[in-house]
PDB file of all heavy atoms in Angstrom:
ATOM      1  N   PHE A   1     111.978 223.981  87.585  1.00  0.00           N
ATOM      2  CA  PHE A   1     112.269 223.273  86.346  1.00  0.00           C
ATOM      3  C   PHE A   1     111.115 222.348  85.964  1.00  0.00           C
ATOM      4  O   PHE A   1     110.682 222.324  84.795  1.00  0.00           O
ATOM      5  CB  PHE A   1     113.580 222.475  86.518  1.00  0.00           C
ATOM      6  CG  PHE A   1     113.879 221.549  85.390  1.00  0.00           C
ATOM      7  CD1 PHE A   1     114.393 222.014  84.191  1.00  0.00           C
ATOM      8  CD2 PHE A   1     113.629 220.185  85.518  1.00  0.00           C
ATOM      9  CE1 PHE A   1     114.683 221.145  83.143  1.00  0.00           C
ATOM     10  CE2 PHE A   1     113.908 219.308  84.479  1.00  0.00           C
ATOM     11  CZ  PHE A   1     114.436 219.797  83.295  1.00  0.00           C
ATOM     12  N   ILE A   2     110.590 221.607  86.911  1.00  0.00           N
ATOM     13  CA  ILE A   2     109.483 220.690  86.646  1.00  0.00           C
ATOM     14  C   ILE A   2     108.249 221.456  86.208  1.00  0.00           C
ATOM     15  O   ILE A   2     107.540 221.063  85.281  1.00  0.00           O
ATOM     16  CB  ILE A   2     109.195 219.826  87.902  1.00  0.00           C
ATOM     17  CG1 ILE A   2     110.369 218.882  88.181  1.00  0.00           C
ATOM     18  CG2 ILE A   2     107.904 219.037  87.732  1.00  0.00           C
ATOM     19  CD1 ILE A   2     110.285 218.148  89.488  1.00  0.00           C
ATOM     20  N   ASN A   3     107.964 222.573  86.859  1.00  0.00           N
ATOM     21  CA  ASN A   3     106.787 223.381  86.508  1.00  0.00           C
ATOM     22  C   ASN A   3     106.897 223.940  85.098  1.00  0.00           C
ATOM     23  O   ASN A   3     105.930 223.938  84.340  1.00  0.00           O
ATOM     24  CB  ASN A   3     106.634 224.531  87.501  1.00  0.00           C
ATOM     25  CG  ASN A   3     106.210 224.051  88.876  1.00  0.00           C
ATOM     26  OD1 ASN A   3     105.566 222.987  89.002  1.00  0.00           O
ATOM     27  ND2 ASN A   3     106.549 224.798  89.919  1.00  0.00           N
ATOM     28  N   ARG A   4     108.104 224.390  84.723  1.00  0.00           N
ATOM     29  CA  ARG A   4     108.303 224.929  83.376  1.00  0.00           C
ATOM     30  C   ARG A   4     108.183 223.838  82.320  1.00  0.00           C
ATOM     31  O   ARG A   4     107.724 224.078  81.212  1.00  0.00           O
ATOM     32  CB  ARG A   4     109.651 225.648  83.292  1.00  0.00           C
ATOM     33  CG  ARG A   4     109.622 227.029  83.985  1.00  0.00           C
ATOM     34  CD  ARG A   4     110.919 227.783  83.812  1.00  0.00           C
ATOM     35  NE  ARG A   4     111.996 227.197  84.604  1.00  0.00           N
ATOM     36  CZ  ARG A   4     113.184 226.870  84.130  1.00  0.00           C
ATOM     37  NH1 ARG A   4     113.457 227.037  82.849  1.00  0.00           N
ATOM     38  NH2 ARG A   4     114.114 226.386  84.914  1.00  0.00           N
ATOM     39  N   LEU A   5     108.620 222.637  82.678  1.00  0.00           N
ATOM     40  CA  LEU A   5     108.453 221.507  81.765  1.00  0.00           C
ATOM     41  C   LEU A   5     106.984 221.234  81.489  1.00  0.00           C
ATOM     42  O   LEU A   5     106.561 221.009  80.361  1.00  0.00           O
ATOM     43  CB  LEU A   5     109.106 220.256  82.345  1.00  0.00           C
ATOM     44  CG  LEU A   5     110.591 219.995  82.058  1.00  0.00           C
ATOM     45  CD1 LEU A   5     110.997 218.673  82.719  1.00  0.00           C
ATOM     46  CD2 LEU A   5     110.856 219.933  80.573  1.00  0.00           C
ATOM     47  N   ASN A   6     106.191 221.217  82.556  1.00  0.00           N
ATOM     48  CA  ASN A   6     104.751 220.971  82.407  1.00  0.00           C
ATOM     49  C   ASN A   6     104.096 222.022  81.513  1.00  0.00           C
ATOM     50  O   ASN A   6     103.240 221.705  80.666  1.00  0.00           O
ATOM     51  CB  ASN A   6     104.074 220.944  83.770  1.00  0.00           C
ATOM     52  CG  ASN A   6     104.454 219.719  84.584  1.00  0.00           C
ATOM     53  OD1 ASN A   6     104.841 218.690  84.017  1.00  0.00           O
ATOM     54  ND2 ASN A   6     104.355 219.791  85.888  1.00  0.00           N
ATOM     55  N   LYS A   7     104.490 223.271  81.696  1.00  0.00           N
ATOM     56  CA  LYS A   7     103.936 224.352  80.864  1.00  0.00           C
ATOM     57  C   LYS A   7     104.378 224.192  79.403  1.00  0.00           C
ATOM     58  O   LYS A   7     103.658 224.622  78.494  1.00  0.00           O
ATOM     59  CB  LYS A   7     104.386 225.688  81.419  1.00  0.00           C
ATOM     60  CG  LYS A   7     103.744 226.065  82.746  1.00  0.00           C
ATOM     61  CD  LYS A   7     104.259 227.406  83.240  1.00  0.00           C
ATOM     62  CE  LYS A   7     103.613 227.767  84.593  1.00  0.00           C
ATOM     63  NZ  LYS A   7     104.126 229.084  85.104  1.00  0.00           N
ATOM     64  N   ALA A   8     105.524 223.575  79.192  1.00  0.00           N
ATOM     65  CA  ALA A   8     106.029 223.375  77.827  1.00  0.00           C
ATOM     66  C   ALA A   8     105.448 222.148  77.159  1.00  0.00           C
ATOM     67  O   ALA A   8     105.748 221.862  75.996  1.00  0.00           O
ATOM     68  CB  ALA A   8     107.566 223.259  77.862  1.00  0.00           C
ATOM     69  N   GLY A   9     104.576 221.452  77.899  1.00  0.00           N
ATOM     70  CA  GLY A   9     103.890 220.309  77.295  1.00  0.00           C
ATOM     71  C   GLY A   9     104.467 218.946  77.664  1.00  0.00           C
ATOM     72  O   GLY A   9     104.046 217.921  77.126  1.00  0.00           O
ATOM     73  N   ILE A  10     105.437 218.886  78.577  1.00  0.00           N
ATOM     74  CA  ILE A  10     106.035 217.636  79.027  1.00  0.00           C
ATOM     75  C   ILE A  10     105.541 217.334  80.430  1.00  0.00           C
ATOM     76  O   ILE A  10     105.953 217.971  81.399  1.00  0.00           O
ATOM     77  CB  ILE A  10     107.577 217.695  79.012  1.00  0.00           C
ATOM     78  CG1 ILE A  10     108.080 218.020  77.611  1.00  0.00           C
ATOM     79  CG2 ILE A  10     108.177 216.393  79.518  1.00  0.00           C
ATOM     80  CD1 ILE A  10     107.729 216.985  76.564  1.00  0.00           C
ATOM     81  N   LYS A  11     104.609 216.383  80.515  1.00  0.00           N
ATOM     82  CA  LYS A  11     104.048 216.001  81.802  1.00  0.00           C
ATOM     83  C   LYS A  11     104.913 214.890  82.416  1.00  0.00           C
ATOM     84  O   LYS A  11     104.865 213.760  81.959  1.00  0.00           O
ATOM     85  CB  LYS A  11     102.603 215.523  81.643  1.00  0.00           C
ATOM     86  CG  LYS A  11     101.681 216.507  80.934  1.00  0.00           C
ATOM     87  CD  LYS A  11     101.547 217.798  81.723  1.00  0.00           C
ATOM     88  CE  LYS A  11     100.609 218.771  81.021  1.00  0.00           C
ATOM     89  NZ  LYS A  11     100.499 220.071  81.728  1.00  0.00           N
ATOM     90  N   THR A  12     105.695 215.249  83.379  1.00  0.00           N
ATOM     91  CA  THR A  12     106.612 214.256  83.977  1.00  0.00           C
ATOM     92  C   THR A  12     105.875 213.352  84.957  1.00  0.00           C
ATOM     93  O   THR A  12     104.950 213.772  85.658  1.00  0.00           O
ATOM     94  CB  THR A  12     107.756 214.981  84.721  1.00  0.00           C
ATOM     95  OG1 THR A  12     107.191 215.929  85.645  1.00  0.00           O
ATOM     96  CG2 THR A  12     108.663 215.693  83.754  1.00  0.00           C
ATOM     97  N   SER A  13     106.302 212.117  85.010  1.00  0.00           N
ATOM     98  CA  SER A  13     105.698 211.141  85.928  1.00  0.00           C
ATOM     99  C   SER A  13     106.191 211.402  87.342  1.00  0.00           C
ATOM    100  O   SER A  13     107.197 212.122  87.568  1.00  0.00           O
ATOM    101  CB  SER A  13     106.085 209.710  85.520  1.00  0.00           C
ATOM    102  OG  SER A  13     107.467 209.502  85.684  1.00  0.00           O
ATOM    103  N   LYS A  14     105.531 210.827  88.316  1.00  0.00           N
ATOM    104  CA  LYS A  14     105.945 210.977  89.712  1.00  0.00           C
ATOM    105  C   LYS A  14     107.335 210.406  89.934  1.00  0.00           C
ATOM    106  O   LYS A  14     108.129 210.959  90.700  1.00  0.00           O
ATOM    107  CB  LYS A  14     104.928 210.303  90.634  1.00  0.00           C
ATOM    108  CG  LYS A  14     103.585 211.016  90.707  1.00  0.00           C
ATOM    109  CD  LYS A  14     102.659 210.336  91.697  1.00  0.00           C
ATOM    110  CE  LYS A  14     101.331 211.087  91.783  1.00  0.00           C
ATOM    111  NZ  LYS A  14     100.386 210.457  92.751  1.00  0.00           N
ATOM    112  N   THR A  15     107.628 209.299  89.272  1.00  0.00           N
ATOM    113  CA  THR A  15     108.958 208.682  89.409  1.00  0.00           C
ATOM    114  C   THR A  15     110.041 209.602  88.893  1.00  0.00           C
ATOM    115  O   THR A  15     111.077 209.803  89.536  1.00  0.00           O
ATOM    116  CB  THR A  15     109.007 207.347  88.632  1.00  0.00           C
ATOM    117  OG1 THR A  15     108.001 206.475  89.132  1.00  0.00           O
ATOM    118  CG2 THR A  15     110.365 206.692  88.792  1.00  0.00           C
ATOM    119  N   THR A  16     109.804 210.218  87.733  1.00  0.00           N
ATOM    120  CA  THR A  16     110.780 211.161  87.157  1.00  0.00           C
ATOM    121  C   THR A  16     110.946 212.370  88.045  1.00  0.00           C
ATOM    122  O   THR A  16     112.071 212.838  88.287  1.00  0.00           O
ATOM    123  CB  THR A  16     110.329 211.578  85.740  1.00  0.00           C
ATOM    124  OG1 THR A  16     110.210 210.412  84.917  1.00  0.00           O
ATOM    125  CG2 THR A  16     111.332 212.537  85.116  1.00  0.00           C
ATOM    126  N   GLN A  17     109.837 212.899  88.569  1.00  0.00           N
ATOM    127  CA  GLN A  17     109.900 214.070  89.446  1.00  0.00           C
ATOM    128  C   GLN A  17     110.724 213.765  90.702  1.00  0.00           C
ATOM    129  O   GLN A  17     111.551 214.571  91.142  1.00  0.00           O
ATOM    130  CB  GLN A  17     108.491 214.512  89.838  1.00  0.00           C
ATOM    131  CG  GLN A  17     107.700 215.112  88.693  1.00  0.00           C
ATOM    132  CD  GLN A  17     106.309 215.534  89.128  1.00  0.00           C
ATOM    133  OE1 GLN A  17     106.052 215.782  90.303  1.00  0.00           O
ATOM    134  NE2 GLN A  17     105.395 215.640  88.155  1.00  0.00           N
ATOM    135  N   THR A  18     110.514 212.567  91.240  1.00  0.00           N
ATOM    136  CA  THR A  18     111.247 212.172  92.432  1.00  0.00           C
ATOM    137  C   THR A  18     112.749 212.096  92.158  1.00  0.00           C
ATOM    138  O   THR A  18     113.565 212.559  92.964  1.00  0.00           O
ATOM    139  CB  THR A  18     110.762 210.809  92.941  1.00  0.00           C
ATOM    140  OG1 THR A  18     109.365 210.891  93.249  1.00  0.00           O
ATOM    141  CG2 THR A  18     111.531 210.377  94.191  1.00  0.00           C
ATOM    142  N   ARG A  19     113.128 211.551  91.017  1.00  0.00           N
ATOM    143  CA  ARG A  19     114.539 211.441  90.670  1.00  0.00           C
ATOM    144  C   ARG A  19     115.166 212.822  90.497  1.00  0.00           C
ATOM    145  O   ARG A  19     116.311 213.052  90.880  1.00  0.00           O
ATOM    146  CB  ARG A  19     114.708 210.616  89.388  1.00  0.00           C
ATOM    147  CG  ARG A  19     114.323 209.160  89.528  1.00  0.00           C
ATOM    148  CD  ARG A  19     114.844 208.353  88.338  1.00  0.00           C
ATOM    149  NE  ARG A  19     116.296 208.374  88.317  1.00  0.00           N
ATOM    150  CZ  ARG A  19     117.014 208.088  87.241  1.00  0.00           C
ATOM    151  NH1 ARG A  19     116.405 207.790  86.100  1.00  0.00           N
ATOM    152  NH2 ARG A  19     118.334 208.129  87.277  1.00  0.00           N
ATOM    153  N   ILE A  20     114.419 213.731  89.873  1.00  0.00           N
ATOM    154  CA  ILE A  20     114.938 215.085  89.702  1.00  0.00           C
ATOM    155  C   ILE A  20     115.111 215.788  91.047  1.00  0.00           C
ATOM    156  O   ILE A  20     116.143 216.384  91.326  1.00  0.00           O
ATOM    157  CB  ILE A  20     114.021 215.919  88.773  1.00  0.00           C
ATOM    158  CG1 ILE A  20     114.032 215.328  87.351  1.00  0.00           C
ATOM    159  CG2 ILE A  20     114.437 217.373  88.749  1.00  0.00           C
ATOM    160  CD1 ILE A  20     113.008 215.949  86.419  1.00  0.00           C
ATOM    161  N   LEU A  21     114.101 215.674  91.891  1.00  0.00           N
ATOM    162  CA  LEU A  21     114.138 216.350  93.198  1.00  0.00           C
ATOM    163  C   LEU A  21     115.187 215.775  94.126  1.00  0.00           C
ATOM    164  O   LEU A  21     115.738 216.470  94.977  1.00  0.00           O
ATOM    165  CB  LEU A  21     112.759 216.284  93.855  1.00  0.00           C
ATOM    166  CG  LEU A  21     111.647 217.057  93.137  1.00  0.00           C
ATOM    167  CD1 LEU A  21     110.288 216.764  93.771  1.00  0.00           C
ATOM    168  CD2 LEU A  21     111.942 218.563  93.169  1.00  0.00           C
ATOM    169  N   LYS A  22     115.470 214.497  93.961  1.00  0.00           N
ATOM    170  CA  LYS A  22     116.463 213.865  94.848  1.00  0.00           C
ATOM    171  C   LYS A  22     117.885 213.959  94.294  1.00  0.00           C
ATOM    172  O   LYS A  22     118.807 213.366  94.858  1.00  0.00           O
ATOM    173  CB  LYS A  22     116.103 212.389  95.049  1.00  0.00           C
ATOM    174  CG  LYS A  22     114.914 212.181  95.989  1.00  0.00           C
ATOM    175  CD  LYS A  22     114.729 210.709  96.287  1.00  0.00           C
ATOM    176  CE  LYS A  22     113.615 210.506  97.319  1.00  0.00           C
ATOM    177  NZ  LYS A  22     113.445 209.074  97.680  1.00  0.00           N
ATOM    178  N   ASN A  23     118.045 214.733  93.205  1.00  0.00           N
ATOM    179  CA  ASN A  23     119.379 214.984  92.656  1.00  0.00           C
ATOM    180  C   ASN A  23     120.108 213.686  92.326  1.00  0.00           C
ATOM    181  O   ASN A  23     121.191 213.409  92.822  1.00  0.00           O
ATOM    182  CB  ASN A  23     120.203 215.828  93.645  1.00  0.00           C
ATOM    183  CG  ASN A  23     121.504 216.321  93.018  1.00  0.00           C
ATOM    184  OD1 ASN A  23     121.645 216.311  91.806  1.00  0.00           O
ATOM    185  ND2 ASN A  23     122.452 216.695  93.858  1.00  0.00           N
ATOM    186  N   GLU A  24     119.494 212.870  91.451  1.00  0.00           N
ATOM    187  CA  GLU A  24     120.067 211.577  91.095  1.00  0.00           C
ATOM    188  C   GLU A  24     120.920 211.642  89.829  1.00  0.00           C
ATOM    189  O   GLU A  24     121.060 210.654  89.116  1.00  0.00           O
ATOM    190  CB  GLU A  24     118.964 210.535  90.932  1.00  0.00           C
ATOM    191  CG  GLU A  24     118.286 210.181  92.246  1.00  0.00           C
ATOM    192  CD  GLU A  24     117.461 208.904  92.154  1.00  0.00           C
ATOM    193  OE1 GLU A  24     117.683 208.132  91.219  1.00  0.00           O
ATOM    194  OE2 GLU A  24     116.594 208.720  93.012  1.00  0.00           O
TER     195      GLU A  24
END
């Protein structure tokens, strides 16, 4: 999901990536 977001032009921050990966 994060990789597809980056390809779509949305560069997520490390904090956002961590929250997504930790299922928050």
Side-chain angles (χ1 to χ4, degrees):
F1 171 78
I2 293 172
N3 290 334
R4 284 184 288 129
L5 272 181
N6 289 336
K7 290 180 181 179
I10 301 298
K11 305 298 181 183
T12 53
S13 66
K14 290 184 179 180
T15 301
T16 301
Q17 291 180 22
T18 300
R19 293 194 64 200
I20 294 172
L21 294 172
K22 286 188 175 182
N23 190 18
E24 291 195 19

